[in-house]
Amino acid sequence: MPELPEVEVVRAGLAPAVVGARIVAVDARDARALTRHDGDAGSFERALTGRLITGVARRGKFLWMPLAPASADDAPRGAVIAHLGMSGQMLLRASGALVERHERVRLDVHHPDHGDLAVVFADQRTFGSLAIDDLVPTADGRVGGWGSDEALVPSQVVHIGRDPLDDAFDEAAVVARVRAKRSAVKRILLDQTVVSGVGNIYADEALWAARIHPETPGDALSVRAVRRLFAEVRAVLLKALAEGGTSFDAQYVNVNGQAGYFAHSLNAYGRDGLPCPRCGRPIVRDSFMNRSSHYCPRCQRPTGSAPLR
């Protein structure tokens, strides 16, 4: 599943092409891509045609494109919100380009500088979705997320926590929430209401870097240990961003269809049976929440109730 770096790469690629562009036509060819939308394909197409895109923003794994008001009395403001799910792609194509494999929705746009373009939402496994949603004020009064200059966020994203790279991320408050929980620290990292944008790959990588076992209870971690963990989360996210995200197959690509190459930099995730880059002990894979955890049994020793220092 695309995580923060992959979604941010998509956001950054979309922004220069669509900010200031007007949607001239919409083809919602597969209703399965509109599961989060309150309406049918026809209402989605009618509501977007003619609208002006004013930005591209992201919080955690959610993207949204704010829309200029349709009229003077258009309130609340609206946005096109996207979640890529397991295999969703947002692709930029030339106007009139052939239909993409697994194409679900196409927005034809006209940009005053770039001319005519097509924004294609393709999704092989159909767990991703697009929707039109109302923009509402953020709970903390800060901008909605990366790429946003307004204290607004889609109503479907209100419950999503800030990500560790967000300027409004309140680390002290999040550290306290982590240490108040008895559940495994990896489970906490994957809880998008606590901290967003981190999925299975980057949780494993950050926990390996911080030398913390994924099953360590949150309340067994000291303040220092949790702060160290978030420092490693930020480090791995920034490195992945610099390398274009993580691609294991053709399902994750940027807006131009290119794969990221952070998979070559992984230390724990997907390396079961291979030597730990730090100590040489084979990396272990255990079942975890219908997926897998990868860790080093020597560097990341299980911890009970004694707080890690």
Side-chain angles (χ1 to χ4, degrees), residues 60-124:
K61 304 174 187 179
F62 281 88
L63 283 171
W64 67 92
M65 295 184 287
L67 303 169
S71 62
D73 58 354
D74 182 23
R77 288 270 307 283
V80 183
I81 182 173
H83 192 283
L84 301 182
M86 295 290 291
S87 59
Q89 301 170 343
M90 297 290 287
L91 304 170
L92 291 176
R93 294 293 184 255
S95 178
L98 294 176
V99 173
E100 294 284 329
R101 188 181 184 191
H102 309 303
E103 181 171 327
R104 309 300 176 189
V105 178
R106 178 176 294 215
L107 309 180
D108 289 307
V109 305
H110 177 78
H111 193 282
D113 297 326
H114 309 309
D116 295 329
L117 294 168
V119 181
V120 173
F121 178 67
D123 188 7
Q124 177 178 344

Side-chain angles (χ1 to χ4, degrees), residues 230-245:
F230 280 117
E232 297 296 354
V233 169
R234 280 188 286 272
V236 73
L237 292 177
L238 287 170
K239 192 169 190 297
L241 267 174
E243 298 185 14

Side-chain angles (χ1 to χ4, degrees), residues 215-236:
E215 292 289 348
T216 304
D219 62 2
L221 295 167
S222 67
V223 170
R224 182 179 177 183
V226 182
R227 287 191 177 277
R228 183 173 75 246
L229 174 58
F230 280 117
E232 297 296 354
V233 169
R234 280 188 286 272
V236 73

